[in-house]
Amino acid sequence: LIVMLHNLQIVDYGLGHPGSIHDAYTFQATKVVHESNMAIPEGHWMWADSAYPLEPWCISLFKRPRGGNLS
């Protein structure tokens, strides 16, 4: 379930994956990943844990950037 915190609007959700599937794999099957420009308004972003990819619209706190260092 992906919810915008400022207004509690549900942006996207994923169904059908068993509980044994990693969250990041399930996330890849959501519409927000494939159509982020339509699901997340410009200038907005979402927080995710370190299992999720770093994108301009998906920010993971305390994740080392690819090829970079965590300062």
Side-chain angles (χ1 to χ4, degrees), residues 25-40:
Y25 180 79
T26 302
F27 183 63
Q28 294 299 319
T30 63
K31 188 175 184 176
V32 75
V33 170
H34 300 283
E35 299 177 21
S36 62
N37 59 338
M38 296 185 72
I40 298 178

PDB file of all heavy atoms in Angstrom, residues 25-40:
ATOM      1  N   TYR A  25      10.570  -6.849  -4.411  1.00  0.00           N
ATOM      2  CA  TYR A  25      10.078  -7.558  -5.593  1.00  0.00           C
ATOM      3  C   TYR A  25       8.612  -7.223  -5.833  1.00  0.00           C
ATOM      4  O   TYR A  25       8.191  -6.961  -6.956  1.00  0.00           O
ATOM      5  CB  TYR A  25      10.268  -9.068  -5.420  1.00  0.00           C
ATOM      6  CG  TYR A  25       9.775  -9.868  -6.591  1.00  0.00           C
ATOM      7  CD1 TYR A  25      10.540  -9.975  -7.750  1.00  0.00           C
ATOM      8  CD2 TYR A  25       8.539 -10.499  -6.555  1.00  0.00           C
ATOM      9  CE1 TYR A  25      10.090 -10.705  -8.841  1.00  0.00           C
ATOM     10  CE2 TYR A  25       8.071 -11.230  -7.640  1.00  0.00           C
ATOM     11  CZ  TYR A  25       8.848 -11.323  -8.780  1.00  0.00           C
ATOM     12  OH  TYR A  25       8.389 -12.033  -9.852  1.00  0.00           O
ATOM     13  N   THR A  26       7.835  -7.215  -4.780  1.00  0.00           N
ATOM     14  CA  THR A  26       6.423  -6.867  -4.880  1.00  0.00           C
ATOM     15  C   THR A  26       6.261  -5.430  -5.362  1.00  0.00           C
ATOM     16  O   THR A  26       5.402  -5.125  -6.185  1.00  0.00           O
ATOM     17  CB  THR A  26       5.729  -7.049  -3.521  1.00  0.00           C
ATOM     18  OG1 THR A  26       5.905  -8.407  -3.099  1.00  0.00           O
ATOM     19  CG2 THR A  26       4.264  -6.743  -3.594  1.00  0.00           C
ATOM     20  N   PHE A  27       7.106  -4.536  -4.861  1.00  0.00           N
ATOM     21  CA  PHE A  27       7.058  -3.129  -5.248  1.00  0.00           C
ATOM     22  C   PHE A  27       7.278  -2.964  -6.750  1.00  0.00           C
ATOM     23  O   PHE A  27       6.658  -2.114  -7.389  1.00  0.00           O
ATOM     24  CB  PHE A  27       8.118  -2.365  -4.460  1.00  0.00           C
ATOM     25  CG  PHE A  27       8.139  -0.885  -4.707  1.00  0.00           C
ATOM     26  CD1 PHE A  27       7.055  -0.082  -4.393  1.00  0.00           C
ATOM     27  CD2 PHE A  27       9.267  -0.287  -5.228  1.00  0.00           C
ATOM     28  CE1 PHE A  27       7.087   1.280  -4.608  1.00  0.00           C
ATOM     29  CE2 PHE A  27       9.318   1.077  -5.449  1.00  0.00           C
ATOM     30  CZ  PHE A  27       8.220   1.868  -5.142  1.00  0.00           C
ATOM     31  N   GLN A  28       8.151  -3.781  -7.332  1.00  0.00           N
ATOM     32  CA  GLN A  28       8.431  -3.700  -8.769  1.00  0.00           C
ATOM     33  C   GLN A  28       7.197  -4.012  -9.616  1.00  0.00           C
ATOM     34  O   GLN A  28       7.138  -3.644 -10.785  1.00  0.00           O
ATOM     35  CB  GLN A  28       9.576  -4.641  -9.154  1.00  0.00           C
ATOM     36  CG  GLN A  28      10.904  -4.245  -8.564  1.00  0.00           C
ATOM     37  CD  GLN A  28      11.353  -2.869  -9.027  1.00  0.00           C
ATOM     38  OE1 GLN A  28      11.198  -2.514 -10.185  1.00  0.00           O
ATOM     39  NE2 GLN A  28      11.891  -2.085  -8.115  1.00  0.00           N
ATOM     40  N   ALA A  29       6.203  -4.669  -9.044  1.00  0.00           N
ATOM     41  CA  ALA A  29       4.988  -5.020  -9.780  1.00  0.00           C
ATOM     42  C   ALA A  29       3.901  -3.954  -9.668  1.00  0.00           C
ATOM     43  O   ALA A  29       2.838  -4.099 -10.256  1.00  0.00           O
ATOM     44  CB  ALA A  29       4.448  -6.360  -9.273  1.00  0.00           C
ATOM     45  N   THR A  30       4.164  -2.863  -8.942  1.00  0.00           N
ATOM     46  CA  THR A  30       3.141  -1.832  -8.769  1.00  0.00           C
ATOM     47  C   THR A  30       3.160  -0.830  -9.918  1.00  0.00           C
ATOM     48  O   THR A  30       4.157  -0.667 -10.611  1.00  0.00           O
ATOM     49  CB  THR A  30       3.322  -1.074  -7.440  1.00  0.00           C
ATOM     50  OG1 THR A  30       4.571  -0.395  -7.452  1.00  0.00           O
ATOM     51  CG2 THR A  30       3.220  -2.011  -6.250  1.00  0.00           C
ATOM     52  N   LYS A  31       2.040  -0.153 -10.078  1.00  0.00           N
ATOM     53  CA  LYS A  31       1.899   0.853 -11.125  1.00  0.00           C
ATOM     54  C   LYS A  31       2.804   2.049 -10.875  1.00  0.00           C
ATOM     55  O   LYS A  31       3.312   2.658 -11.803  1.00  0.00           O
ATOM     56  CB  LYS A  31       0.444   1.285 -11.208  1.00  0.00           C
ATOM     57  CG  LYS A  31       0.126   2.172 -12.359  1.00  0.00           C
ATOM     58  CD  LYS A  31      -1.371   2.438 -12.421  1.00  0.00           C
ATOM     59  CE  LYS A  31      -1.721   3.251 -13.643  1.00  0.00           C
ATOM     60  NZ  LYS A  31      -3.169   3.440 -13.754  1.00  0.00           N
ATOM     61  N   VAL A  32       3.023   2.387  -9.601  1.00  0.00           N
ATOM     62  CA  VAL A  32       3.833   3.560  -9.283  1.00  0.00           C
ATOM     63  C   VAL A  32       5.264   3.416  -9.807  1.00  0.00           C
ATOM     64  O   VAL A  32       5.879   4.399 -10.204  1.00  0.00           O
ATOM     65  CB  VAL A  32       3.811   3.874  -7.771  1.00  0.00           C
ATOM     66  CG1 VAL A  32       4.657   2.912  -6.984  1.00  0.00           C
ATOM     67  CG2 VAL A  32       4.252   5.291  -7.495  1.00  0.00           C
ATOM     68  N   VAL A  33       5.780   2.230  -9.866  1.00  0.00           N
ATOM     69  CA  VAL A  33       7.135   2.007 -10.391  1.00  0.00           C
ATOM     70  C   VAL A  33       7.171   2.240 -11.897  1.00  0.00           C
ATOM     71  O   VAL A  33       8.087   2.866 -12.419  1.00  0.00           O
ATOM     72  CB  VAL A  33       7.635   0.584 -10.054  1.00  0.00           C
ATOM     73  CG1 VAL A  33       8.915   0.264 -10.788  1.00  0.00           C
ATOM     74  CG2 VAL A  33       7.829   0.446  -8.564  1.00  0.00           C
ATOM     75  N   HIS A  34       6.160   1.761 -12.595  1.00  0.00           N
ATOM     76  CA  HIS A  34       6.147   1.831 -14.055  1.00  0.00           C
ATOM     77  C   HIS A  34       5.570   3.139 -14.596  1.00  0.00           C
ATOM     78  O   HIS A  34       5.858   3.506 -15.735  1.00  0.00           O
ATOM     79  CB  HIS A  34       5.380   0.640 -14.626  1.00  0.00           C
ATOM     80  CG  HIS A  34       6.000  -0.664 -14.227  1.00  0.00           C
ATOM     81  ND1 HIS A  34       7.146  -1.143 -14.820  1.00  0.00           N
ATOM     82  CD2 HIS A  34       5.668  -1.556 -13.265  1.00  0.00           C
ATOM     83  CE1 HIS A  34       7.486  -2.291 -14.242  1.00  0.00           C
ATOM     84  NE2 HIS A  34       6.609  -2.559 -13.304  1.00  0.00           N
ATOM     85  N   GLU A  35       4.766   3.810 -13.796  1.00  0.00           N
ATOM     86  CA  GLU A  35       4.151   5.074 -14.224  1.00  0.00           C
ATOM     87  C   GLU A  35       4.268   6.106 -13.108  1.00  0.00           C
ATOM     88  O   GLU A  35       3.293   6.730 -12.718  1.00  0.00           O
ATOM     89  CB  GLU A  35       2.694   4.846 -14.592  1.00  0.00           C
ATOM     90  CG  GLU A  35       2.507   3.873 -15.740  1.00  0.00           C
ATOM     91  CD  GLU A  35       1.051   3.601 -16.052  1.00  0.00           C
ATOM     92  OE1 GLU A  35       0.187   4.431 -15.684  1.00  0.00           O
ATOM     93  OE2 GLU A  35       0.770   2.570 -16.666  1.00  0.00           O
ATOM     94  N   SER A  36       5.482   6.288 -12.600  1.00  0.00           N
ATOM     95  CA  SER A  36       5.680   7.178 -11.452  1.00  0.00           C
ATOM     96  C   SER A  36       5.254   8.608 -11.744  1.00  0.00           C
ATOM     97  O   SER A  36       4.768   9.304 -10.860  1.00  0.00           O
ATOM     98  CB  SER A  36       7.136   7.146 -11.004  1.00  0.00           C
ATOM     99  OG  SER A  36       7.978   7.598 -12.034  1.00  0.00           O
ATOM    100  N   ASN A  37       5.409   9.049 -12.991  1.00  0.00           N
ATOM    101  CA  ASN A  37       5.019  10.423 -13.319  1.00  0.00           C
ATOM    102  C   ASN A  37       3.513  10.639 -13.228  1.00  0.00           C
ATOM    103  O   ASN A  37       3.061  11.767 -13.041  1.00  0.00           O
ATOM    104  CB  ASN A  37       5.534  10.807 -14.710  1.00  0.00           C
ATOM    105  CG  ASN A  37       5.007   9.900 -15.804  1.00  0.00           C
ATOM    106  OD1 ASN A  37       4.605   8.768 -15.551  1.00  0.00           O
ATOM    107  ND2 ASN A  37       5.030  10.373 -17.027  1.00  0.00           N
ATOM    108  N   MET A  38       2.722   9.583 -13.343  1.00  0.00           N
ATOM    109  CA  MET A  38       1.269   9.713 -13.216  1.00  0.00           C
ATOM    110  C   MET A  38       0.796   9.460 -11.793  1.00  0.00           C
ATOM    111  O   MET A  38      -0.215  10.005 -11.365  1.00  0.00           O
ATOM    112  CB  MET A  38       0.568   8.750 -14.175  1.00  0.00           C
ATOM    113  CG  MET A  38       0.833   9.061 -15.636  1.00  0.00           C
ATOM    114  SD  MET A  38      -0.108   8.026 -16.737  1.00  0.00           S
ATOM    115  CE  MET A  38      -1.740   8.710 -16.501  1.00  0.00           C
ATOM    116  N   ALA A  39       1.513   8.633 -11.051  1.00  0.00           N
ATOM    117  CA  ALA A  39       1.079   8.254  -9.704  1.00  0.00           C
ATOM    118  C   ALA A  39       1.521   9.249  -8.640  1.00  0.00           C
ATOM    119  O   ALA A  39       0.805   9.470  -7.668  1.00  0.00           O
ATOM    120  CB  ALA A  39       1.606   6.861  -9.363  1.00  0.00           C
ATOM    121  N   ILE A  40       2.697   9.832  -8.816  1.00  0.00           N
ATOM    122  CA  ILE A  40       3.233  10.766  -7.819  1.00  0.00           C
ATOM    123  C   ILE A  40       3.360  12.134  -8.481  1.00  0.00           C
ATOM    124  O   ILE A  40       4.080  12.279  -9.460  1.00  0.00           O
ATOM    125  CB  ILE A  40       4.597  10.278  -7.297  1.00  0.00           C
ATOM    126  CG1 ILE A  40       4.413   8.923  -6.617  1.00  0.00           C
ATOM    127  CG2 ILE A  40       5.202  11.293  -6.348  1.00  0.00           C
ATOM    128  CD1 ILE A  40       5.672   8.305  -6.095  1.00  0.00           C
TER     129      ILE A  40
END
